[in-house]
Structures are given as structure tokens and as C-alpha cells.
């Protein structure tokens, strides 16, 4: 029953000022990373870490029933959704309660979304493969942030009755963006960050069996995995392309951050990779935020550094040079 109750949590959070995304026409299913759900110890704490220590612009959301959400929206249309409890005894649905039980009241992430421009086609394809998908759910016709009953629903999504991965995965699509000048200007401004962040490049899924996640991602249609190691956290596994982005399916490789995280929290979204316009400037900003020097390294995506966010956020954030700049690459480049 957990996927259904988690789906209700997704529907609740998406119903409160989630950013609209465009639907790109395509002759076949087109997918890319959409967003990660990141719980903080409280909404102001997680917002302050993202803004003050890391240099992101945090956009407001809403707080129905005592659970607030806010957004870090990126130029490539990916985003991080921040969640936090705002009052004692909030009105949590079973999915939120399950997440909080897994996190033991602390910060962290357990769910990720993939955006598909052909949601119905992907739904039918996965159902035909024998995967137990939920029905496709949509935003309500009277959604306060939607276009009204005569317009397409602001979002549509489906999840799985039995989770195929070690962390929860759902597929989602959005109505086209508003095209009036004020909305276009607001959207452009919302995606500009003091730290130069531009792209959500990867989800890091940590489990005790990276190959199991690799096999399931291939069954979901995401093939082309390449073996990788992430020595900064003592992990190994696979880089699996998802459109222009990728998923790192990881397991511990000896003692270190990955082993500690798995022991303390079980399977989880251990981190995300963020592409930035100026890596040196972003690094200096994070060093000032955390008042400590940080080390550059050559990561899966090229030149990178790791922000020390695990204690604060329950999730690591890797900053890397954008693809197309010196020393950078994409998941699909690893086989070349």
C-alpha cells in the first residue's frame, strides 16, 4: 500500500504552487529528471541552508495543513522541492507520515520524479511490461494555481503499486507554460541563482545493490549504463542516462559516507548533481557559507566539488561545471 499513500503525498505537494513546465512535442517518449522531494527539519531551516549557505534562490510555495513547500527552480526545468513541518500535529496524509517515519524526523530525500512529454505512452508501455503502475492522476479542475476548468490540468502523474527501485520513483508531466509577458518574465527571474546554478544533472540513488537498480532502470527504458566510482563518498555503481541527465545507482565501496548513510538511513536519495555556470565562483560562495575550504575533484560529470550538506540536509549536493565547458561531460559521454 505504500506507493498509493506516497502518491497522495505527491498530489498534495504538487497541488500547492508547483512550477509549471512545458510539454515538448515528440514522436516518442522523451524523459528527463524532474525533481527531488527534500524534507528539512523545518521549512525555514532548509530554506536558509539552500539560500544562505549554498547560494540558491528559494521560491515560496504554500503550507496546507501545516506542511509547507518551497522551490529551487533551475533553467533546465528541473527543480528541488523543499518540504517542512510548520506546526505541531500537522495534517499529514499516510505518505507524508511514512516519509517522516523513514527519516526519523530528520532531513533527507526518499522520492524522485522523472518528467515525460508522453506520459500516457510511457504509462501504457510500462504496464505492458508487467509493471504495476497506478492510474494517471491529475490536478483538480479548480486548482488555485492552474488555468481553470477549461484549461489542461497543471500536472499529471503516475507512480507504482510496487516500487521498482530502492527509492520511490514517479513519472510526471505538466501543462504548457503561460506565455503572457509577465509570466514569462517571472519564470525567467525565478530560475536565476546567485551561485550560478543552471541544471539538475543527476540523482544519486543509494542502496545495498546498485546492480538491482540498474536492471530495473533498464526495464523502465533507461539503458546504456556505465560503471562508475565516486571515491569522495566511497561508492561505486552505474551512471544511467535519462534524457540529457542521468541517475547514479550507487552502493557502498568500503567504509565512508555511503556506508554510513546506508547504515543510518537505509536506501535513499543520497545526493544530486547541479551544473553551474562558474564553478570557481560557486565554490567560493559555498566555502564562505560553510566557513571551510573545499576540495576540487574530477567527478562523473567532470570538474566538481562536494558541498558538506549531509548533516544539514540529509542529502549531498555536488556542484560541477556545465556540459560543454572545459573539463565537463554528460552521463552519455562516459562510453565515448
Amino acid at each position: 500500500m505504500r506507493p498509493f499513500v506516497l502518491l497522495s503525498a505527491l498530489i498534495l505537494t504538487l497541488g500547492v504552487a508547483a512550477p509549471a513546465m512545458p510539454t515538448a512535442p515528440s514522436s516518442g517518449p522523451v524523459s528527463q529528471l524532474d525533481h527531488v522531494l527534500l524534507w528539512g527539519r523545518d521549512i525555514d531551516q532548509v530554506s536558509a541552508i539552500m539560500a544562505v549557505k549554498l547560494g540558491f534562490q528559494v521560491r515560496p510555495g504554500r503550507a496546507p495543513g501545516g506542511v509547507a513547500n518551497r522551490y529551487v527552480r533551475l533553467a533546465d526545468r528541473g527543480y528541488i522541492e523543499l518540504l517542512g513541518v510548520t506546526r505541531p500535529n500537522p495534517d499529514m496524509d499516510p505518505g507524508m507520515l511514512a516519509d517522516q517515519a523513514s527519516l526519523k524526523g530528520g532531513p533527507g530525500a526518499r522520492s524522485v520524479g522523472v518528467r515525460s512529454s508522453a506520459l500516457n505512452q510511457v504509462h501504457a508501455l510500462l504496464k505492458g511490461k508487467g509493471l504495476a503502475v497506478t492510474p494517471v492522476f491529475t490536478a483538480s479542475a479548480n486548482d488555485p494555481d492552474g488555468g481553470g476548468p477549461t484549461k489542461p490540468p497543471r500536472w499529471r502523474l503516475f507512480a507504482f503499486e510496487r516500487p521498482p527501485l530502492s527509492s520511490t520513483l514517479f513519472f510526471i508531466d505538466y501543462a504548457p507554460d503561460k506565455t503572457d509577458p509577465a509570466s514569462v518574465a517571472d519564470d525567467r527571474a525565478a530560475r536565476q541563482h546567485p551561485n550560478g546554478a543552471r541544471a539538475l544533472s543527476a540523482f544519486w540513488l543509494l542502496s545495498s545493490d546498485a546492480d538491482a537498480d540498474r536492471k530495473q532502470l533498464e526495464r523502465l527504458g533507461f539503458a546504456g549504463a556505465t560503471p562508475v566510482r565516486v571515491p569522495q563518498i566511497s561508492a561505486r555503481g552505474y551512471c544511467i542516462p535519462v534524457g540529457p541527465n542521468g541517475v547514479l545507482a550507487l552502493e557502498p565501496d568500503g567504509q565512508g559516507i555511503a556506508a554510513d548513510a546506508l547504515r543510518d538511513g537505509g536506501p535513499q536519495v543520497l545526493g544530486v548533481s547541479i551544473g553551474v555556470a562558474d564553478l570557481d565562483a560557486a565554490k567560493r560562495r559555498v566555502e564562505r557559507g560553510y566557513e571551510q575550504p573545499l576540495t576540487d575533484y574530477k567527478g562523473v560529470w567532470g570538474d566538481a566539488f562536494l558541498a558538506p550538506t549531509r548533516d544539514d540536509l540529509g542529502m549531498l549536493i555536488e556542484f560541477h561545471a556545465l556540459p560543454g565547458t572545459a573539463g565537463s561531460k554528460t552521463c552519455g559521454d562516459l562510453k565515448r
Side-chain angles (χ1 to χ4, degrees):
M1 292 298 294
R2 173 172 165 75
F4 279 113
V5 297
L6 178 59
L7 191 60
S8 62
L10 294 171
I11 290 171
L12 179 57
T13 57
L14 283 164
V16 286
M21 308 290 179
T23 300
S26 172
S27 58
V30 175
S31 300
Q32 70 178 81
L33 306 186
D34 188 66
H35 73 285
V36 58
L37 301 175
L38 175 60
W39 287 87
R41 292 185 177 90
D42 64 64
I43 194 63
D44 291 329
Q45 182 247 18
V46 68
S47 298
I49 292 166
M50 297 296 283
V52 178
K53 289 188 174 183
L54 298 172
F56 290 104
Q57 177 186 182
V58 178
R59 303 292 292 180
R62 298 178 186 262
V67 178
N69 64 345
R70 295 175 184 168
Y71 301 96
V72 174
R73 302 169 61 185
L74 299 169
D76 72 340
R77 320 305 288 178
Y79 64 103
I80 301 173
E81 181 171 2
L82 311 178
L83 297 169
V85 176
T86 60
R87 63 172 171 80
N89 302 314
D91 298 330
M92 288 188 175
D93 68 16
M96 290 181 171
L97 290 170
D99 272 359
Q100 286 294 294
S102 173
L103 291 166
K104 301 176 183 177
R110 297 292 185 270
S111 302
V112 295
V114 170
R115 183 164 73 256
S116 174
S117 63
L119 196 72
N120 289 344
Q121 189 174 345
V122 172
H123 185 269
L125 180 66
L126 297 182
K127 187 174 182 179
K129 290 184 176 182
L131 287 158
V133 293
T134 70
V136 174
F137 295 88
T138 66
S140 65
N142 60 354
D143 178 357
D145 298 300
T150 63
K151 300 293 184 180
R154 188 163 53 89
W155 52 261
R156 304 165 62 243
L157 68 83
F158 71 87
F160 298 86
E161 296 179 16
R162 294 184 294 278
L165 301 176
S166 57
S167 291
T168 300
L169 173 71
F170 57 96
F171 284 81
I172 189 166
D173 192 22
Y174 301 88
D177 282 344
K178 297 177 181 178
T179 58
D180 62 280
S183 295
V184 170
D186 287 347
D187 183 70
R188 184 183 303 115
R191 301 179 190 282
Q192 297 174 357
H193 298 275
N195 62 13
R198 298 282 182 82
L200 176 60
S201 304
F203 299 141
W204 300 14
L205 304 186
L206 176 67
S207 73
S208 61
D209 189 346
D211 194 50
D213 274 347
R214 177 196 66 79
K215 290 176 180 176
Q216 286 294 81
L217 282 162
E218 185 170 0
R219 189 181 179 197
L220 293 169
F222 304 116
T226 302
V228 295
R229 292 189 71 252
V230 186
Q232 291 73 27
I233 62 169
S234 299
R236 63 183 176 185
Y238 302 90
C239 182
I240 300 100
V242 178
N245 333 111
V247 170
L248 299 185
L250 300 173
E251 64 183 53
D253 186 20
Q255 296 302 307
I257 291 174
D260 292 344
L262 188 63
R263 181 193 65 241
D264 296 341
Q268 61 193 269
V269 185
L270 179 59
V272 295
S273 295
I274 302 289
V276 296
D278 186 328
L279 189 65
D280 290 336
K283 180 169 174 281
R284 179 57 179 156
R285 181 177 288 274
V286 177
E287 287 178 330
R288 289 175 63 87
Y290 278 89
E291 298 183 340
Q292 67 182 79
L294 301 172
T295 302
D296 295 330
Y297 58 85
K298 291 285 186 180
V300 173
W301 310 101
D303 296 334
F305 71 91
L306 195 63
T309 55
R310 183 169 170 250
D311 289 341
D312 281 347
L313 299 177
M315 186 182 79
L316 296 168
I317 296 183
E318 177 190 67
F319 293 89
H320 69 89
L322 285 168
T325 60
S328 70
K329 54 195 172 188
T330 67
C331 195
D333 291 332
L334 299 179
K335 288 191 174 183
R336 299 175 188 173

